[in-house]
Amino acid sequence: MGGYEAAEAAFQHSLAIARREQDPSLELRVLASSGNIGGHQLRWEECLSRCLESLKLATRIEDPHSKLRAHFWAVYSLLASIGDVAGARVHAAE
């Protein structure tokens, strides 16, 4: 109801909880979802940053859905923000 700002506040709160509780699975899901919302709002830098951060966690955690979401939005953000076709291909291949 509050738009992007309300969603961002909720994501930041959720991320703080995940880190406080040392729950990397929750942190991964929050970051991937936050990147997803950033992409829908055309906030490409935020989207890419969160997707890449979530993919670092995904190397330690088995969560194919969040990993797919992060790669998907990384592709879009790389293409839309800087036209990095080679970088986007790497994520698309995953």
Side-chain angles (χ1 to χ4, degrees):
M1 301 270 300
Y4 179 78
E5 290 74 23
E8 180 61 23
F11 281 125
Q12 291 303 318
H13 183 71
S14 298
L15 193 57
I17 291 170
R19 289 177 175 162
R20 182 187 70 223
E21 297 299 319
Q22 298 178 350
D23 187 339
S25 294
L26 177 59
E27 186 176 354
L28 170 61
R29 289 192 311 275
V30 169
L31 286 166
S33 295
S34 179
N36 183 167
I37 297 303
H40 277 287
Q41 295 294 315
L42 307 179
R43 296 173 186 252
W44 301 119
E45 289 179 25
E46 292 170 22
C47 174
L48 182 60
S49 173
R50 291 175 182 161
C51 288
L52 295 177
E53 193 173 351
S54 68
L55 289 169
K56 285 180 189 173
L57 286 170
T59 63
R60 301 182 296 150
I61 299 162
E62 184 64 28
D63 183 347
H65 180 75
S66 294
K67 189 175 179 180
L68 173 66
R69 177 180 277 179
H71 280 299
F72 178 86
W73 284 103
V75 167
Y76 274 99
S77 62
L78 285 166
L79 291 174
S81 64
I82 57 176
D84 183 356
V85 175
R89 280 190 180 128
V90 170
H91 290 285
E94 289 293 325

